Amino acid sequence: MKLYEKGPAPSAQRVSLFMAEKGIVIPRVDVDIRGGENITDAFKEISVNGRIPVLELDDGSTLCESIAICRYLDAEFPTDHALFGDCPLSIGQVEMWNRIAEFQGLFSAFQAFRNITSIYDDRERCVEAWGVESKQRVIEFLPVLEKRLAETPYLAGERFSVADITAYVMCGFIKNLGIHIDESLPSLVTWQQKLSQRPAFIEASAALG
Ligand SMILES: N[C@@H](CCC(=O)N[C@@H](CS)C(=O)NCC(=O)O)C(=O)O
């Protein structure tokens, strides 16, 4: 099994943090996404969405989409650490908050970054106005996280979950858009600091150098 990735890229970080939390160690292959290695025909053979991360299994089958990879790893390496929830209600809550963090937060942040910077204009049409609107959506989403984290220690409730990983990666990535989480969002600041002190987060961040 090996993971094709680009360490600092947010989608790769989601998988890295998940693996660090679960104590999973597998070989990794660095993919030059800025240079377009992921849009070659060879890479598209292994990645249906043409992006990283991609998990390649020993039988040659592959999985892309970070949450699909995390779900596979969760099933393949079962531990007591249930990052997708451990009872019907918590499974639903984790799924709900992960989707909210991904669709309303991380996806908008990606759209903002890609369309404002035109970083991938060798492979997609970039619309600056859509980037500006997407950035505004991220800004307007942060109070949703703040409200939730004022009520519960973690996004999905009492326990840390994959939804926290998604939201944490988003909160780090939006610095690239000039959005900084400050004392106007006190619960978010506290939660971010708490997560950054988790051994797995320290380990994953040290691996990035
Ligand atoms: N929904 C996908 C998003 C994957 C994605 O956007 N990966 C980015 C890096 S964060 C990428 O490969 N970018 C290169 C490109 O778009 O060509 C996932 O969660 O894995």
Side-chain angles (χ1 to χ4, degrees):
M1 192 184 295
K2 61 185 164 192
L3 183 68
Y4 293 84
E5 60 157 20
K6 169 55 73 185
S11 303
Q13 279 183 39
R14 293 174 78 184
V15 175
S16 288
L17 287 167
F18 185 88
M19 292 200 304
E21 285 285 342
K22 299 277 287 185
I24 298 169
V25 179
I26 56 174
R28 294 161 187 250
V29 180
D30 182 80
V31 180
D32 177 13
I33 52 173
R34 295 268 168 101
E37 194 181 343
N38 60 303
I39 53 172
T40 60
D41 288 344
F43 193 80
K44 286 181 184 167
E45 282 293 310
I46 62 164
S47 177
V48 175
N49 68 5
R51 296 192 180 179
I52 59 95
V54 181
L55 184 69
E56 185 174 60
L57 308 185
D58 293 341
D59 70 359
S61 53
T62 56
L63 286 169
C64 61
E65 288 296 332
S66 47
I67 284 297
I69 293 170
C70 292
R71 281 206 176 275
Y72 172 84
L73 292 172
D74 200 47
E76 182 65 19
F77 301 99
T79 63
D80 290 341
H81 200 20
L83 298 182
F84 284 100
D86 60 0
C87 70
L89 179 60
S90 71
I91 289 169
Q93 286 168 326
V94 170
E95 185 72 19
M96 179 179 86
W97 280 104
N98 189 54
R99 289 172 78 91
I100 290 172
E102 179 162 22
F103 294 159
Q104 296 182 38
L106 194 58
F107 181 74
S108 291
F110 283 173
Q111 291 299 307
F113 183 69
R114 297 174 78 104
N115 286 283
I116 291 172
T117 65
S118 294
I119 193 168
Y120 293 125
D121 65 357
D122 60 341
R123 62 199 75 168
E124 67 185 6
R125 289 175 300 283
C126 298
V127 181
E128 194 181 350
W130 175 236
V132 172
E133 170 60 24
S134 298
K135 178 176 172 180
Q136 189 56 31
R137 290 182 187 199
V138 173
I139 292 168
E140 290 173 12
F141 174 61
L142 293 177
V144 174
L145 293 182
E146 171 64 22
K147 180 173 181 295
R148 174 64 176 168
L149 291 167
E151 295 162 355
T152 55
Y154 298 103
L155 215 42
E158 294 300 314
R159 291 187 61 182
F160 173 83
S161 76
V162 72
D164 294 293
I165 293 179
T166 302
Y168 182 87
V169 168
M170 184 213 73
C171 289
F173 181 68
I174 58 178
K175 292 186 192 121
N176 295 301
L177 299 167
I179 305 173
H180 299 279
I181 292 169
D182 60 21
E183 292 306 327
S184 66
L185 300 162
S187 304
L188 204 42
V189 169
T190 304
W191 164 87
Q192 215 177 4
Q193 284 168 351
K194 181 171 65 182
L195 262 56
S196 72
Q197 296 310 310
R198 293 177 72 85
F201 280 57
I202 293 171
E203 180 196 316
S205 139
L208 288 178

